[in-house]
Amino acid sequence: MKSSLQPPATPNGPGQWVLLSYRLPREPSTPRITVWRKLKRLGVAQISDGLVALPADARTREQLEWIAEEITDFGGNATLWIAHPAAIAEERRLAQAMADARAAEYEALRAQAEEAARDQPDDERQRTVRRLRAELRRVQRRDYFPPPQRRAAEAAVAALRPVNTYSPSSEENSA
Amino acid sequence: MKWATRAGIHINRAACVWLIRRFVDPQAEFLFVTDPAEVPADATPFDMRGVELGHHHGDCSFETILRRYDLTADPALQRIAEIIHEADLDDERFDAPEAPGLDVVLRGLSMIGDDEHTMAVTKPVFDGLYEYYRRATLLGREPA
Protein backbone atom coordinates (compact mmCIF):
# COMPACT_ATOMS: atom_id res chain seq x y z
CA MET A 1 0.00 0.00 0.00
CA LYS A 2 2.38 2.67 -1.13
CA SER A 3 1.39 6.29 -1.39
CA SER A 4 0.72 7.28 -4.96
CA LEU A 5 -0.81 10.39 -6.47
CA GLN A 6 -0.80 8.96 -9.95
CA PRO A 7 -4.10 7.54 -11.16
CA PRO A 8 -3.76 4.31 -13.12
CA ALA A 9 -3.99 3.91 -16.91
CA THR A 10 -1.34 6.19 -18.40
CA PRO A 11 2.21 6.03 -17.08
CA ASN A 12 3.37 9.42 -18.39
CA GLY A 13 0.50 11.78 -19.05
CA PRO A 14 -2.49 12.50 -16.83
CA GLY A 15 -4.83 9.56 -16.24
CA GLN A 16 -8.48 9.18 -17.08
CA TRP A 17 -11.09 10.74 -14.86
CA VAL A 18 -14.82 10.35 -14.84
CA LEU A 19 -16.71 13.60 -14.36
CA LEU A 20 -20.30 14.05 -13.38
CA SER A 21 -21.87 17.36 -14.24
CA TYR A 22 -25.30 17.77 -12.72
CA ARG A 23 -28.10 20.12 -11.81
CA LEU A 24 -30.93 19.50 -9.41
CA PRO A 25 -33.84 21.80 -8.60
CA ARG A 26 -33.20 23.85 -5.39
CA GLU A 27 -36.47 22.61 -3.92
CA PRO A 28 -37.29 20.09 -2.59
CA SER A 29 -33.97 19.84 -0.78
CA THR A 30 -34.16 16.11 0.12
CA PRO A 31 -32.97 14.85 -3.31
CA ARG A 32 -30.07 17.31 -3.24
CA ILE A 33 -29.04 16.02 0.17
CA THR A 34 -29.45 12.36 -0.88
CA VAL A 35 -27.27 12.90 -3.94
CA TRP A 36 -24.66 14.86 -2.03
CA ARG A 37 -24.42 12.15 0.63
CA LYS A 38 -23.87 9.50 -2.02
CA LEU A 39 -21.19 11.56 -3.72
CA LYS A 40 -19.46 12.18 -0.41
CA ARG A 41 -19.56 8.50 0.37
CA LEU A 42 -17.79 7.83 -2.94
CA GLY A 43 -15.11 10.38 -1.99
CA VAL A 44 -15.49 12.56 -5.09
CA ALA A 45 -13.35 15.61 -5.74
CA GLN A 46 -15.57 18.63 -6.08
CA ILE A 47 -14.30 20.69 -8.99
CA SER A 48 -17.00 23.33 -8.86
CA ASP A 49 -20.67 23.61 -8.01
CA GLY A 50 -22.41 20.70 -9.76
CA LEU A 51 -19.18 19.18 -11.10
CA VAL A 52 -17.45 16.28 -9.37
CA ALA A 53 -14.66 13.90 -10.40
CA LEU A 54 -13.24 10.49 -9.62
CA PRO A 55 -10.30 8.64 -11.19
CA ALA A 56 -11.90 6.45 -13.88
CA ASP A 57 -12.23 2.72 -13.44
CA ALA A 58 -15.08 0.28 -14.01
CA ARG A 59 -16.45 0.77 -10.51
CA THR A 60 -16.25 4.56 -10.21
CA ARG A 61 -17.74 4.99 -13.65
CA GLU A 62 -20.62 2.69 -12.82
CA GLN A 63 -21.29 4.29 -9.43
CA LEU A 64 -21.41 7.76 -10.97
CA GLU A 65 -23.65 6.46 -13.77
CA TRP A 66 -26.17 5.30 -11.21
CA ILE A 67 -26.05 8.58 -9.35
CA ALA A 68 -26.61 10.33 -12.69
CA GLU A 69 -29.63 8.09 -13.25
CA GLU A 70 -30.97 8.94 -9.81
CA ILE A 71 -30.53 12.68 -10.46
CA THR A 72 -32.56 12.23 -13.65
CA ASP A 73 -35.22 10.33 -11.70
CA PHE A 74 -35.36 13.28 -9.28
CA GLY A 75 -36.12 15.64 -12.17
CA GLY A 76 -32.62 17.06 -12.50
CA ASN A 77 -30.16 16.59 -15.33
CA ALA A 78 -26.81 14.88 -15.34
CA THR A 79 -24.06 14.17 -17.86
CA LEU A 80 -21.16 11.82 -17.46
CA TRP A 81 -17.79 12.57 -19.06
CA ILE A 82 -14.53 10.73 -19.39
CA ALA A 83 -11.73 13.27 -19.36
CA HIS A 84 -8.00 13.88 -19.00
CA PRO A 85 -6.79 16.89 -17.02
CA ALA A 86 -4.86 19.06 -19.47
CA ALA A 87 -1.76 19.20 -17.25
CA ILE A 88 -0.19 16.75 -14.83
CA ALA A 89 0.04 19.52 -12.23
CA GLU A 90 -3.74 19.92 -12.25
CA GLU A 91 -4.22 16.24 -11.80
CA ARG A 92 -1.76 16.21 -8.91
CA ARG A 93 -3.66 19.01 -7.23
CA LEU A 94 -6.91 17.11 -7.55
CA ALA A 95 -5.35 13.87 -6.31
CA GLN A 96 -3.62 15.68 -3.45
CA ALA A 97 -6.89 17.25 -2.32
CA MET A 98 -8.50 13.80 -2.31
CA ALA A 99 -5.55 12.24 -0.46
CA ASP A 100 -5.67 15.07 2.13
CA ALA A 101 -9.37 14.51 2.73
CA ARG A 102 -8.77 10.77 3.32
CA ALA A 103 -5.71 11.50 5.49
CA ALA A 104 -7.90 13.57 7.82
CA GLU A 105 -10.40 10.71 8.06
CA TYR A 106 -7.64 8.18 8.79
CA GLU A 107 -6.19 10.49 11.43
CA ALA A 108 -9.56 10.75 13.17
CA LEU A 109 -9.88 6.95 13.12
CA ARG A 110 -6.40 6.46 14.52
CA ALA A 111 -7.07 8.96 17.32
CA GLN A 112 -10.33 7.22 18.26
CA ALA A 113 -8.68 3.79 18.22
CA GLU A 114 -5.79 4.94 20.40
CA GLU A 115 -8.15 6.60 22.84
CA ALA A 116 -10.19 3.40 23.11
CA ALA A 117 -7.04 1.34 23.65
CA ARG A 118 -6.03 3.64 26.51
CA ASP A 119 -9.28 4.34 28.31
CA GLN A 120 -11.95 1.78 27.54
CA PRO A 121 -12.78 -1.39 29.47
CA ASP A 122 -12.89 -4.63 27.44
CA ASP A 123 -16.63 -4.79 26.67
CA GLU A 124 -16.81 -1.18 25.57
CA ARG A 125 -13.68 -1.60 23.49
CA GLN A 126 -15.29 -4.50 21.64
CA ARG A 127 -18.14 -2.28 20.54
CA THR A 128 -15.66 0.39 19.52
CA VAL A 129 -13.58 -2.00 17.44
CA ARG A 130 -16.67 -3.11 15.52
CA ARG A 131 -17.66 0.47 14.81
CA LEU A 132 -14.15 1.56 13.83
CA ARG A 133 -13.62 -1.43 11.54
CA ALA A 134 -16.81 -0.57 9.66
CA GLU A 135 -15.80 3.06 9.44
CA LEU A 136 -12.28 2.14 8.30
CA ARG A 137 -13.72 0.00 5.55
CA ARG A 138 -15.91 2.88 4.37
CA VAL A 139 -12.91 5.20 4.20
CA GLN A 140 -10.78 2.60 2.40
CA ARG A 141 -13.48 2.19 -0.23
CA ARG A 142 -13.23 5.86 -1.17
CA ASP A 143 -9.43 6.05 -0.93
CA TYR A 144 -8.03 6.33 -4.47
CA PHE A 145 -4.64 7.82 -3.58
CA PRO A 146 -3.65 6.17 -0.29
CA PRO A 147 -1.91 8.65 2.04
CA PRO A 148 0.68 7.40 4.60
CA GLN A 149 -1.93 7.86 7.37
CA ARG A 150 -3.80 4.85 6.01
CA ARG A 151 -1.31 2.38 7.44
CA ALA A 152 -1.30 4.08 10.83
CA ALA A 153 -5.11 3.95 11.04
CA GLU A 154 -5.20 0.29 9.97
CA ALA A 155 -2.59 -0.59 12.58
CA ALA A 156 -4.34 1.35 15.37
CA VAL A 157 -7.72 -0.29 14.64
CA ALA A 158 -6.14 -3.75 14.30
CA ALA A 159 -4.39 -3.29 17.66
CA LEU A 160 -7.82 -3.01 19.33
CA ARG A 161 -8.66 -6.64 18.57
CA PRO A 162 -9.63 -8.68 21.62
CA VAL A 163 -6.70 -10.16 23.48
CA ASN A 164 -6.38 -13.88 22.75
CA THR A 165 -7.37 -15.75 25.89
CA TYR A 166 -6.05 -19.00 24.50
CA SER A 167 -2.27 -18.80 24.69
CA PRO A 168 0.30 -21.63 24.63
CA SER A 169 1.15 -21.00 28.31
CA SER A 170 -2.48 -21.40 29.46
CA GLU A 171 -2.62 -24.63 27.47
CA GLU A 172 0.39 -25.95 29.35
CA ASN A 173 -1.19 -25.01 32.67
CA SER A 174 -4.45 -26.80 31.96
CA ALA A 175 -2.74 -29.94 30.66
CA MET B 1 -35.85 -13.72 -25.94
CA LYS B 2 -32.74 -11.59 -26.26
CA TRP B 3 -31.40 -9.58 -23.36
CA ALA B 4 -28.64 -7.01 -23.49
CA THR B 5 -26.42 -5.44 -20.88
CA ARG B 6 -23.07 -3.71 -20.55
CA ALA B 7 -19.97 -5.82 -21.04
CA GLY B 8 -17.60 -6.40 -18.14
CA ILE B 9 -20.14 -7.89 -15.74
CA HIS B 10 -19.77 -7.61 -11.99
CA ILE B 11 -21.99 -8.84 -9.22
CA ASN B 12 -25.21 -7.09 -10.12
CA ARG B 13 -25.25 -8.07 -13.78
CA ALA B 14 -24.06 -11.62 -13.01
CA ALA B 15 -26.94 -11.95 -10.54
CA CYS B 16 -29.41 -10.45 -13.04
CA VAL B 17 -28.31 -12.96 -15.69
CA TRP B 18 -28.89 -15.79 -13.25
CA LEU B 19 -32.25 -14.37 -12.14
CA ILE B 20 -33.51 -13.88 -15.70
CA ARG B 21 -32.45 -17.35 -16.80
CA ARG B 22 -33.86 -19.13 -13.80
CA PHE B 23 -37.07 -17.18 -13.07
CA VAL B 24 -38.00 -15.09 -16.09
CA ASP B 25 -36.84 -16.62 -19.36
CA PRO B 26 -35.13 -20.05 -19.40
CA GLN B 27 -34.27 -19.60 -23.09
CA ALA B 28 -32.68 -16.21 -22.51
CA GLU B 29 -29.86 -15.23 -24.83
CA PHE B 30 -27.47 -12.58 -23.53
CA LEU B 31 -25.61 -9.92 -25.48
CA PHE B 32 -22.91 -7.70 -24.03
CA VAL B 33 -22.46 -4.22 -25.43
CA THR B 34 -20.20 -1.32 -24.61
CA ASP B 35 -22.64 1.49 -25.42
CA PRO B 36 -26.43 1.64 -24.87
CA ALA B 37 -26.78 2.64 -28.55
CA GLU B 38 -25.55 -0.84 -29.57
CA VAL B 39 -28.54 -2.66 -28.05
CA PRO B 40 -30.46 -4.32 -30.93
CA ALA B 41 -34.14 -3.42 -31.28
CA ASP B 42 -35.29 -6.96 -30.43
CA ALA B 43 -33.32 -7.18 -27.17
CA THR B 44 -34.45 -6.14 -23.68
CA PRO B 45 -31.75 -3.99 -22.08
CA PHE B 46 -31.01 -4.27 -18.36
CA ASP B 47 -28.62 -2.68 -15.88
CA MET B 48 -27.88 0.23 -18.19
CA ARG B 49 -28.53 3.91 -17.77
CA GLY B 50 -31.88 5.11 -19.03
CA VAL B 51 -33.63 1.71 -19.30
CA GLU B 52 -36.63 0.37 -17.42
CA LEU B 53 -34.66 -2.54 -15.91
CA GLY B 54 -31.97 -0.36 -14.40
CA HIS B 55 -31.35 1.44 -11.13
CA HIS B 56 -34.37 3.40 -9.99
CA HIS B 57 -34.96 5.38 -6.82
CA GLY B 58 -32.04 3.86 -5.02
CA ASP B 59 -32.79 0.27 -6.06
CA CYS B 60 -30.29 -1.77 -8.04
CA SER B 61 -31.27 -3.54 -11.28
CA PHE B 62 -31.70 -6.90 -9.55
CA GLU B 63 -34.36 -5.35 -7.30
CA THR B 64 -35.97 -3.62 -10.29
CA ILE B 65 -36.23 -6.95 -12.15
CA LEU B 66 -37.74 -8.65 -9.09
CA ARG B 67 -40.42 -6.00 -8.97
CA ARG B 68 -41.06 -5.88 -12.69
CA TYR B 69 -41.57 -9.67 -12.92
CA ASP B 70 -43.55 -10.07 -9.67
CA LEU B 71 -40.87 -12.06 -7.89
CA THR B 72 -40.84 -10.02 -4.70
CA ALA B 73 -42.88 -12.57 -2.72
CA ASP B 74 -40.00 -15.10 -2.67
CA PRO B 75 -38.08 -14.51 0.59
CA ALA B 76 -34.95 -16.28 -0.69
CA LEU B 77 -34.81 -13.97 -3.71
CA GLN B 78 -35.48 -11.03 -1.44
CA ARG B 79 -32.47 -11.94 0.70
CA ILE B 80 -30.27 -12.34 -2.38
CA ALA B 81 -31.53 -8.94 -3.55
CA GLU B 82 -30.36 -7.38 -0.27
CA ILE B 83 -26.91 -8.92 -0.69
CA ILE B 84 -26.64 -7.79 -4.31
CA HIS B 85 -27.83 -4.32 -3.34
CA GLU B 86 -25.12 -3.97 -0.70
CA ALA B 87 -22.41 -5.50 -2.87
CA ASP B 88 -23.34 -3.19 -5.73
CA LEU B 89 -24.24 0.04 -3.95
CA ASP B 90 -22.72 -0.38 -0.50
CA ASP B 91 -25.12 2.19 0.95
CA GLU B 92 -25.98 0.25 4.15
CA ARG B 93 -29.68 0.10 3.38
CA PHE B 94 -29.55 -3.56 4.40
CA ASP B 95 -27.49 -5.60 6.82
CA ALA B 96 -25.72 -8.00 4.47
CA PRO B 97 -22.36 -9.18 5.78
CA GLU B 98 -22.19 -11.63 2.83
CA ALA B 99 -21.93 -8.72 0.40
CA PRO B 100 -18.29 -7.58 0.66
CA GLY B 101 -17.01 -11.17 0.31
CA LEU B 102 -19.18 -11.96 -2.68
CA ASP B 103 -18.22 -8.66 -4.28
CA VAL B 104 -14.50 -9.44 -4.02
CA VAL B 105 -15.03 -12.93 -5.47
CA LEU B 106 -16.83 -11.43 -8.48
CA ARG B 107 -14.21 -8.71 -8.97
CA GLY B 108 -11.49 -11.31 -8.94
CA LEU B 109 -13.40 -13.51 -11.40
CA SER B 110 -13.74 -10.61 -13.83
CA MET B 111 -9.94 -10.31 -13.81
CA ILE B 112 -9.26 -13.87 -14.94
CA GLY B 113 -11.94 -14.48 -17.55
CA ASP B 114 -14.51 -13.00 -19.90
CA ASP B 115 -18.22 -12.48 -19.26
CA GLU B 116 -19.09 -16.00 -20.46
CA HIS B 117 -16.66 -17.39 -17.89
CA THR B 118 -18.08 -15.23 -15.09
CA MET B 119 -21.62 -16.34 -15.98
CA ALA B 120 -20.63 -20.01 -16.05
CA VAL B 121 -18.90 -19.84 -12.66
CA THR B 122 -21.53 -17.74 -10.92
CA LYS B 123 -24.54 -19.82 -11.98
CA PRO B 124 -23.92 -22.59 -9.41
CA VAL B 125 -22.89 -19.96 -6.85
CA PHE B 126 -26.26 -18.21 -7.10
CA ASP B 127 -28.10 -21.55 -7.30
CA GLY B 128 -26.41 -22.51 -4.05
CA LEU B 129 -27.15 -19.19 -2.38
CA TYR B 130 -30.79 -19.50 -3.43
CA GLU B 131 -31.03 -22.99 -1.99
CA TYR B 132 -29.37 -21.87 1.23
CA TYR B 133 -31.79 -18.98 1.80
CA ARG B 134 -34.74 -21.12 0.69
CA ARG B 135 -33.89 -23.67 3.39
CA ALA B 136 -33.25 -20.89 5.89
CA THR B 137 -36.75 -19.56 5.22
CA LEU B 138 -38.32 -23.01 5.66
CA LEU B 139 -36.40 -23.72 8.86
CA GLY B 140 -36.67 -20.26 10.33
CA ARG B 141 -32.98 -20.42 11.18
CA GLU B 142 -29.60 -20.80 9.51
CA PRO B 143 -29.46 -24.20 7.79
CA ALA B 144 -26.57 -26.48 8.73
Side-chain angles (χ1 to χ4, degrees):
Chain A
M1 243 165 287
K2 55 178 191 286
S3 168
S4 152
L5 294 177
Q6 201 80 341
T10 41
N12 299 315
Q16 272 199 343
W17 290 71
V18 51
L19 305 188
L20 170 66
S21 149
Y22 71 100
R23 250 175 114 113
L24 266 169
R26 277 243 156 249
E27 295 294 329
S29 58
T30 320
R32 296 177 65 84
I33 296 165
T34 306
V35 167
W36 179 237
R37 281 207 186 118
K38 290 194 176 178
L39 292 173
K40 243 185 109 174
R41 200 181 160 79
L42 280 178
V44 296
Q46 174 118 36
I47 296 178
S48 66
D49 197 27
L51 184 63
V52 297
L54 282 175
D57 64 33
R59 176 174 166 265
T60 54
R61 187 178 161 161
E62 180 167 18
Q63 299 285 333
L64 286 182
E65 268 177 24
W66 296 131
I67 293 177
E69 184 84 341
E70 196 166 6
I71 290 167
T72 314
D73 282 349
F74 281 137
N77 55 59
T79 324
L80 215 62
W81 304 85
I82 300 292
H84 299 276
I88 289 180
E90 290 181 35
E91 174 167 85
R92 290 248 167 87
R93 221 167 16 243
L94 211 55
Q96 188 63 57
M98 294 170 87
D100 290 347
R102 294 300 81 77
E105 292 178 324
Y106 285 127
E107 265 307 290
L109 275 166
R110 186 186 58 79
Q112 286 182 68
E114 289 179 355
E115 194 191 313
R118 244 189 342 262
D119 306 334
Q120 292 184 348
D122 277 359
D123 52 340
E124 204 178 316
R125 195 188 304 163
Q126 285 218 15
R127 280 194 299 276
T128 306
V129 72
R130 264 192 297 261
R131 182 172 59 78
L132 294 182
R133 277 177 181 164
E135 184 58 26
L136 179 63
R137 200 183 136 252
R138 280 192 283 269
V139 177
Q140 287 167 333
R141 290 281 275 172
R142 58 175 171 253
D143 181 8
Y144 306 94
F145 308 101
Q149 288 84 349
R150 176 174 174 141
R151 290 296 289 273
E154 288 168 349
V157 173
L160 280 181
R161 78 167 72 85
V163 183
N164 196 354
T165 47
Y166 179 84
S167 62
S169 59
S170 69
E171 188 186 28
E172 274 166 33
N173 292 343
S174 67
Chain B
M1 230 166 101
K2 279 186 192 160
W3 301 76
T5 193
R6 291 169 296 134
I9 62 174
H10 282 297
I11 186 147
N12 190 9
R13 272 164 284 154
C16 289
V17 163
W18 170 81
L19 178 70
I20 290 168
R21 218 170 237 160
R22 178 151 173 184
F23 292 92
V24 179
D25 176 13
Q27 264 77 54
E29 238 183 273
F30 293 96
L31 308 166
F32 300 99
V33 300
T34 48
D35 192 289
E38 295 168 15
V39 177
D42 61 342
T44 308
F46 65 96
D47 203 51
M48 301 179 97
R49 225 193 129 184
V51 305
E52 187 198 353
L53 301 178
H55 285 221
H56 291 293
H57 299 290
D59 283 355
C60 70
S61 310
F62 190 91
E63 295 168 292
T64 305
I65 295 174
L66 281 192
R67 227 195 337 273
R68 168 68 181 72
Y69 292 95
D70 297 320
L71 295 165
T72 49
D74 183 333
L77 283 182
Q78 205 57 253
R79 180 61 194 152
I80 292 175
E82 293 180 3
I83 297 168
I84 304 303
H85 179 105
E86 284 307 315
D88 193 28
L89 295 170
D90 193 21
D91 63 2
E92 291 173 58
R93 185 190 282 189
F94 303 109
D95 180 27
E98 303 91 330
L102 202 56
D103 185 45
V104 169
V105 170
L106 266 283
R107 280 177 198 285
L109 270 181
S110 74
M111 291 171 188
I112 59 158
D114 57 11
D115 289 339
E116 291 296 331
H117 175 255
T118 301
M119 289 196 318
V121 174
T122 50
K123 186 195 173 293
V125 172
F126 288 118
D127 280 336
L129 279 177
Y130 181 74
E131 184 58 20
Y132 183 92
Y133 293 114
R134 200 184 62 80
R135 289 188 194 188
T137 308
L138 292 174
L139 287 168
R141 61 173 170 81
E142 307 283 289

Coordinates of all heavy atoms in Angstrom, one line a residue, chain B residues 74-104:
Chain B
D74 N -40.9 -14.0 -3.0 CA -40.0 -15.1 -2.7 C -38.9 -14.6 -1.7 O -38.1 -13.8 -2.0 CB -39.3 -15.6 -4.0 CG -38.4 -16.8 -3.7 OD1 -37.9 -17.0 -2.6 OD2 -38.3 -17.6 -4.6
P75 N -39.0 -15.0 -0.4 CA -38.1 -14.5 0.6 C -36.6 -14.8 0.3 O -35.7 -14.0 0.6 CB -38.5 -15.2 1.9 CG -39.7 -16.0 1.6 CD -39.9 -16.1 0.1
A76 N -36.3 -16.0 -0.4 CA -34.9 -16.3 -0.7 C -34.4 -15.3 -1.7 O -33.3 -14.8 -1.6 CB -34.8 -17.7 -1.2
L77 N -35.2 -15.0 -2.7 CA -34.8 -14.0 -3.7 C -34.7 -12.6 -3.1 O -33.8 -11.8 -3.4 CB -35.8 -13.9 -4.9 CG -35.8 -15.0 -5.9 CD1 -36.8 -14.8 -7.0 CD2 -34.4 -15.2 -6.5
Q78 N -35.5 -12.3 -2.1 CA -35.5 -11.0 -1.4 C -34.2 -10.9 -0.7 O -33.5 -9.9 -0.7 CB -36.7 -11.0 -0.5 CG -37.1 -9.6 -0.1 CD -37.5 -8.8 -1.3 OE1 -36.8 -7.8 -1.7 NE2 -38.6 -9.1 -1.9
R79 N -33.7 -12.0 0.0 CA -32.5 -11.9 0.7 C -31.3 -11.8 -0.3 O -30.4 -11.0 0.0 CB -32.3 -13.2 1.5 CG -31.0 -13.3 2.3 CD -30.9 -12.2 3.4 NE -29.6 -12.0 3.9 CZ -29.1 -10.9 4.4 NH1 -29.8 -9.8 4.3 NH2 -27.9 -10.9 4.9
I80 N -31.3 -12.5 -1.4 CA -30.3 -12.3 -2.4 C -30.3 -10.9 -2.9 O -29.2 -10.3 -3.1 CB -30.4 -13.4 -3.5 CG1 -30.2 -14.8 -3.0 CG2 -29.5 -13.1 -4.7 CD1 -30.4 -15.9 -3.9
A81 N -31.4 -10.3 -3.1 CA -31.5 -8.9 -3.5 C -30.8 -8.0 -2.6 O -30.1 -7.1 -3.0 CB -33.0 -8.5 -3.7
E82 N -31.0 -8.2 -1.3 CA -30.4 -7.4 -0.3 C -28.8 -7.5 -0.4 O -28.1 -6.5 -0.3 CB -30.8 -7.8 1.1 CG -32.3 -7.5 1.4 CD -32.7 -7.9 2.8 OE1 -31.9 -8.3 3.6 OE2 -33.9 -7.7 3.1
I83 N -28.4 -8.7 -0.6 CA -26.9 -8.9 -0.7 C -26.4 -8.2 -1.9 O -25.3 -7.5 -1.9 CB -26.6 -10.4 -0.7 CG1 -27.0 -11.1 0.6 CG2 -25.1 -10.7 -1.0 CD1 -27.0 -12.6 0.5
I84 N -27.1 -8.4 -3.1 CA -26.6 -7.8 -4.3 C -26.7 -6.3 -4.2 O -25.7 -5.6 -4.6 CB -27.5 -8.2 -5.5 CG1 -27.6 -9.8 -5.6 CG2 -27.1 -7.6 -6.8 CD1 -26.2 -10.4 -5.8
H85 N -27.7 -5.8 -3.5 CA -27.8 -4.3 -3.3 C -26.6 -3.8 -2.6 O -26.0 -2.8 -3.0 CB -29.1 -4.0 -2.6 CG -29.3 -2.5 -2.3 ND1 -30.2 -1.8 -3.0 CD2 -28.7 -1.7 -1.4 CE1 -30.1 -0.5 -2.5 NE2 -29.2 -0.4 -1.6
E86 N -26.3 -4.4 -1.5 CA -25.1 -4.0 -0.7 C -23.8 -4.2 -1.4 O -22.9 -3.3 -1.3 CB -25.1 -4.6 0.7 CG -26.1 -4.1 1.6 CD -26.0 -2.6 1.8 OE1 -24.9 -2.0 1.9 OE2 -27.1 -1.9 1.8
A87 N -23.7 -5.3 -2.1 CA -22.4 -5.5 -2.9 C -22.3 -4.5 -4.0 O -21.2 -4.0 -4.3 CB -22.4 -6.9 -3.4
D88 N -23.4 -4.1 -4.6 CA -23.3 -3.2 -5.7 C -23.3 -1.7 -5.3 O -22.5 -1.0 -5.8 CB -24.6 -3.4 -6.6 CG -24.5 -2.8 -7.9 OD1 -23.4 -2.6 -8.4 OD2 -25.6 -2.4 -8.5
L89 N -24.1 -1.4 -4.3 CA -24.2 0.0 -4.0 C -23.6 0.4 -2.6 O -23.2 1.6 -2.4 CB -25.7 0.4 -3.9 CG -26.4 0.4 -5.2 CD1 -27.9 0.5 -5.0 CD2 -25.9 1.4 -6.2
D90 N -23.4 -0.6 -1.7 CA -22.7 -0.4 -0.5 C -23.3 0.8 0.2 O -22.5 1.7 0.7 CB -21.2 -0.2 -0.8 CG -20.3 -0.3 0.4 OD1 -20.8 -0.9 1.4 OD2 -19.2 0.2 0.3
D91 N -24.6 1.0 0.3 CA -25.1 2.2 0.9 C -25.7 1.9 2.3 O -26.4 2.7 2.9 CB -26.2 2.9 0.0 CG -27.4 2.0 -0.2 OD1 -27.5 0.9 0.3 OD2 -28.3 2.4 -1.0
E92 N -25.5 0.7 2.8 CA -26.0 0.3 4.1 C -27.5 0.4 4.3 O -28.0 0.6 5.4 CB -25.2 1.0 5.2 CG -23.8 0.6 5.3 CD -22.9 1.4 6.2 OE1 -23.3 1.5 7.4 OE2 -21.9 2.0 5.7
R93 N -28.2 0.2 3.3 CA -29.7 0.1 3.4 C -30.1 -1.2 4.1 O -31.0 -1.3 4.8 CB -30.3 0.2 2.0 CG -31.8 0.2 2.1 CD -32.5 0.0 0.7 NE -32.5 1.3 -0.1 CZ -33.1 1.4 -1.2 NH1 -33.9 0.4 -1.7 NH2 -33.1 2.5 -1.9
F94 N -29.3 -2.3 3.8 CA -29.5 -3.6 4.4 C -28.3 -4.0 5.2 O -27.2 -3.6 4.9 CB -29.9 -4.6 3.3 CG -31.0 -4.2 2.4 CD1 -30.8 -3.9 1.1 CD2 -32.3 -4.2 2.9 CE1 -31.8 -3.5 0.3 CE2 -33.4 -3.9 2.1 CZ -33.1 -3.5 0.8
D95 N -28.6 -5.0 6.1 CA -27.5 -5.6 6.8 C -27.2 -6.9 6.1 O -27.9 -7.8 6.1 CB -27.9 -5.9 8.3 CG -26.8 -6.6 9.0 OD1 -25.6 -6.3 8.7 OD2 -27.1 -7.3 10.0
A96 N -26.1 -6.9 5.3 CA -25.7 -8.0 4.5 C -24.2 -8.3 4.6 O -23.5 -7.9 3.7 CB -26.1 -7.8 3.0
P97 N -23.8 -8.9 5.6 CA -22.4 -9.2 5.8 C -21.8 -10.1 4.7 O -20.6 -10.1 4.5 CB -22.3 -9.9 7.2 CG -23.6 -10.3 7.5 CD -24.6 -9.4 6.8
E98 N -22.7 -10.8 3.9 CA -22.2 -11.6 2.8 C -21.7 -10.8 1.7 O -20.9 -11.2 0.9 CB -23.3 -12.5 2.3 CG -24.0 -13.4 3.3 CD -25.2 -12.7 4.0 OE1 -25.2 -11.5 4.1 OE2 -26.1 -13.5 4.3
A99 N -22.2 -9.5 1.6 CA -21.9 -8.7 0.4 C -20.5 -8.4 0.1 O -20.0 -8.7 -1.0 CB -22.7 -7.4 0.5
P100 N -19.7 -7.9 1.0 CA -18.3 -7.6 0.7 C -17.5 -8.8 0.2 O -16.7 -8.7 -0.8 CB -17.7 -7.0 2.0 CG -18.8 -6.6 2.8 CD -20.0 -7.5 2.4
G101 N -17.7 -10.0 0.8 CA -17.0 -11.2 0.3 C -17.4 -11.6 -1.1 O -16.5 -11.8 -1.9
L102 N -18.7 -11.6 -1.4 CA -19.2 -12.0 -2.7 C -18.7 -11.0 -3.7 O -18.3 -11.4 -4.9 CB -20.7 -12.0 -2.6 CG -21.4 -12.8 -3.7 CD1 -20.9 -14.3 -3.7 CD2 -22.9 -12.8 -3.5
D103 N -18.7 -9.7 -3.4 CA -18.2 -8.7 -4.3 C -16.8 -8.9 -4.7 O -16.4 -8.8 -5.9 CB -18.4 -7.3 -3.6 CG -18.0 -6.1 -4.5 OD1 -18.5 -6.2 -5.7 OD2 -17.4 -5.2 -4.1
V104 N -15.9 -9.2 -3.7 CA -14.5 -9.4 -4.0 C -14.3 -10.7 -4.9 O -13.5 -10.7 -5.9 CB -13.7 -9.6 -2.7 CG1 -12.3 -10.1 -3.0 CG2 -13.6 -8.3 -2.0

